[in-house]
Amino acid sequence: MAKRKVGDHEAALTSPRGVKTLAEAKAWMAARGITEIECTVPDLAGVARGKIMPASKFFSSPVMNLPLSIFFQTISGEYPDYEGLVDSVVADSDLVLEPDLSTLCTVPWAQDPTAQVIHNAYHRDGRPVELAPRQVLRNVLALYAKRGWKPVVAPEIEFYLVEPNTDPDYPLKPPVGRSGRPEIGRQSYSIQAVNEFDALFEDIYDYSEAQGLEIDTLIHEDGAAQMEINLRHGDPLELADQAYLFKRTIREAALTHKIYATFMAKPIANEPGSAMHIHQSVLSAETGKNIFSDEEGGPTPEFFSFLAGHQKYLPAVMCILAPYVNSYRRLTRDSMAPINVQWGYDNR
């Protein structure tokens, strides 16, 4: 007997991440016994803002409202001076948030079966919210599309594992690993140092797989208990969503092992800083070829123009790339940090 071809609907039910329609979402959640859903939107700091609701309420009214001020709230929970801003900001008008069902996935660390979905933000008249990070990125991708280009990115996410610390007056310290001792020296690329936290990383891998997040490699970075996990290259919006989910995943997995994970730029005074490096390439949408490389594998004029654009405009966006006081504690000489706009082959 010939095998029956699996349809799109059935494929959606087995996929760990993403469906196309509300009907598929309902079937996907029912198949997993999910009764609760976290409806989130990333703010400018990458913090998940939103609401948690029963699945039944979500399907009866999948659109939700949040105040515009969520995109003005600082990392410390404060707000900037609204003087001079548009009336809708001063009035803190409601936004309309619609779920992007392609981001639907489970919350694997939740006690009860729970799903999560990222939302798009709109004004009441249907205009996208210009400040919403996903919309900012969409606007950039549209500029690439107009030129017939398709950007590809791969983020490298650095972070420290530290022992629990509830008093900000005390410095952070490396946690105790499976050997019963904290890491006291620097162990760049050490496999054994990573193995100290094998149980934690197994949970990170399991949680990531459950959410459809694609991990590429794991290494020990230069600092004590400083790690780096790279995600597989792909579409910038998809990878931005994955990085947003992945940082939360690492924090939650660490908490289950009574460890904190921090992505601060300079969390420990005498240790190297952390960052998120982004590998970038640009393909021709028509041919799929890398526009930075010619037929002989050499650099193209577009490649050098790309570098020149970075050198010219990156200083102007430092307020976005390094938005906190702590960010500038990392940007010092002899610290493997980008303190200039020089470029060279294989130049770290």
Side-chain angles (χ1 to χ4, degrees), residues 259-281:
I259 294 173
Y260 288 175
T262 176
F263 300 86
M264 286 181 68
K266 190 74 170 178
I268 304 175
N270 296 318
E271 293 291 339
S274 293
M276 184 178 73
H277 304 136
I278 303 177
H279 296 269
Q280 303 176 68
S281 58

Side-chain angles (χ1 to χ4, degrees), residues 101-183:
L101 296 177
S102 69
T103 67
L104 179 67
C105 61
T106 62
V107 182
W109 53 83
Q111 291 185 347
D112 297 320
T114 304
Q116 58 184 327
V117 64
I118 302 173
H119 285 57
N120 294 316
Y122 300 93
H123 294 287
R124 287 195 171 275
D125 60 7
R127 290 178 297 114
V129 175
E130 302 84 354
L131 287 174
R134 297 181 91 228
Q135 185 58 41
V136 172
L137 181 53
R138 280 197 180 95
N139 292 342
V140 173
L141 295 178
L143 296 176
Y144 276 93
K146 285 183 179 179
R147 302 294 293 268
W149 296 336
K150 182 180 179 181
V152 177
V153 302
E156 298 182 358
I157 303 170
E158 297 175 353
F159 58 96
Y160 273 91
L161 299 176
V162 299
E163 67 177 24
N165 184 334
T166 58
D167 190 334
D169 290 333
Y170 286 87
L172 300 179
K173 298 179 181 179
V176 173
R178 66 178 185 177
S179 66
R181 297 180 298 178
E183 191 176 314

Side-chain angles (χ1 to χ4, degrees), residues 32 77 101 116-117 154 167 175 178 184-185 221 251 293 331:
R32 290 160 177 77
L101 296 177
Q116 58 184 327
V117 64
D167 190 334
R178 66 178 185 177
I184 58 174
E221 261 292 348
R251 290 193 185 99
S293 179
L331 298 176

Side-chain angles (χ1 to χ4, degrees), residues 84-98:
L85 297 178
V86 296
D87 291 342
S88 59
V89 176
V90 178
D92 202 9
S93 305
D94 264 355
L95 302 176
V96 177
L97 298 174
E98 297 182 359

Side-chain angles (χ1 to χ4, degrees), residues 206-249:
D206 289 344
Y207 289 171
S208 297
E209 184 177 359
Q211 296 171 90
L213 310 180
E214 297 188 70
I215 294 177
D216 190 20
T217 56
L218 161 66
I219 67 167
H220 192 294
E221 261 292 348
D222 195 33
Q226 184 187 30
M227 308 294 172
E228 175 185 289
I229 295 181
N230 304 336
L231 300 179
R232 284 183 58 82
H233 63 275
D235 173 75
L237 183 58
E238 168 65 19
L239 266 297
D241 287 342
Q242 287 198 34
Y244 161 69
L245 295 172
F246 191 59
K247 290 175 70 175
R248 186 182 177 204
T249 298

